Amino acid sequence: QIQKPKLILDNGLRLDGRRPDELRPMKMEVGVLKNADGSAIVEVGNTKILAAVYGPREMHPRHLALPNRAVLRVRYHMTPFSTDERKNPAPSRREIELSKVIREALEAQILVEQFPRTSIDVFMEVLQADAGTRLASLMAASLAVVDAGIPVRDLIAAVAVGKADGVVVLDLNEPEDMWGEADMPVAMMPSIGQINLLQLNGNMTPEEFRQGMELAMKGINIIYNLEKETLKNKYAELKEE
Ligand code: ADP
């Protein structure tokens, strides 16, 4: 059993050198797979996710189709090499839960009512896990959905906030996720002001919660702009071709 390290150093910085209100470096790219209808890679620090989307397409088996909307089938999966100790590739309870949470977040984004009797299939592979994989996966999936040309209400931008050594921090790293006092992933559609996902693990006072939400919104705005840039660059490339 390893002892909890100090998460906030004497100079006020975090173990990875960030200020409490700083995001990790991020990278995004869409259209990275040839055989999927839509795809994206999202990197947040050392967390790296690949997402692929198929559909809307005719639902098989057909009796699972719905007459008034598309059915979303969503799989969040960690590759065996994504963690420091080999992860068993069989779906764990955690992966089943995260698949459901991510599906519900995507159902609020996609205009599913425009595609009755079809299915939209979303696959996320965690290539490298270093905290925040559910949100990076959700963002990769939402970008892949847009890349597939599926109509959406807005893009989804997401970041976790939490508490480490009593300090409210933005975009938790793995030690903060593991040893911190609170972990709160937040995902939003910023332009329409709707929350897609909000979870809270641990304890925060109402004041810390308010502070955390404010910090999350700040991060979400930066990430939202990066997502829009990513899509714009892709379309500019296509136009040139
Ligand atoms: P999230 O990845 O969304 O933050 P958790 O809070 O459940 O979800 O996980 C935090 C981090 O713990 C993950 O990002 C990953 O780095 C690590 N982790 C999760 N599951 C495993 C596992 N089976 N083996 C090793 N590390 C894991």
Side-chain angles (χ1 to χ4, degrees), residues 107-162:
E107 275 169 350
Q109 181 203 23
I110 299 173
L111 297 172
V112 285
E113 59 280 3
Q114 290 191 2
F115 304 97
R117 296 180 200 290
T118 68
S119 74
I120 298 172
D121 299 297
V122 182
F123 301 91
M124 290 149 287
E125 289 291 332
V126 180
L127 304 177
Q128 224 167 244
D130 195 21
T133 63
R134 80 192 58 200
L135 296 181
S137 299
L138 174 57
M139 287 193 284
S142 87
L143 285 170
V145 164
V146 173
D147 182 49
I150 299 171
V152 295
R153 298 193 161 78
D154 192 4
L155 300 173
I156 298 177
V159 73
V161 290

Side-chain angles (χ1 to χ4, degrees), residues 76 78 83-85 87 94 98 129-135 174 177 183:
Y76 161 100
M78 284 179 121
T83 51
D84 44 3
E85 274 195 44
K87 191 210 153 270
R94 176 178 170 277
L98 292 193
D130 195 21
T133 63
R134 80 192 58 200
L135 296 181
E174 201 169 54
D177 191 300
D183 168 13

Side-chain angles (χ1 to χ4, degrees), residues 7-128:
L7 298 171
I8 304 289
L9 305 174
D10 292 336
N11 58 9
L13 298 180
R14 298 150 75 177
L15 287 177
D16 51 18
R18 280 183 293 156
R19 283 179 278 110
D21 64 347
E22 225 176 311
L23 292 167
R24 292 180 282 182
M26 285 187 78
K27 269 206 266 185
M28 303 174 175
E29 197 183 340
V30 294
V32 295
L33 297 174
K34 157 170 93 67
N35 294 329
D37 294 325
S39 58
I41 279 200
V42 170
E43 294 180 41
V44 182
N46 291 319
T47 288
K48 193 182 284 200
I49 316 286
L50 176 64
V53 169
Y54 294 88
R57 57 187 180 182
E58 196 181 330
M59 178 90 186
H60 288 290
R62 209 166 291 169
H63 71 270
L64 294 179
L66 295 177
N68 57 342
R69 47 161 285 192
V71 172
L72 248 61
R73 289 185 292 198
V74 173
R75 189 185 73 166
Y76 161 100
H77 180 248
M78 284 179 121
T79 57
F81 50 83
S82 62
T83 51
D84 44 3
E85 274 195 44
R86 179 183 182 277
K87 191 210 153 270
N88 183 332
S92 62
R93 284 182 61 139
R94 176 178 170 277
E95 285 166 296
I96 294 166
E97 184 208 325
L98 292 193
S99 299
K100 173 179 180 285
V101 167
I102 292 169
R103 172 171 55 75
E104 290 170 347
L106 288 172
E107 275 169 350
Q109 181 203 23
I110 299 173
L111 297 172
V112 285
E113 59 280 3
Q114 290 191 2
F115 304 97
R117 296 180 200 290
T118 68
S119 74
I120 298 172
D121 299 297
V122 182
F123 301 91
M124 290 149 287
E125 289 291 332
V126 180
L127 304 177
Q128 224 167 244

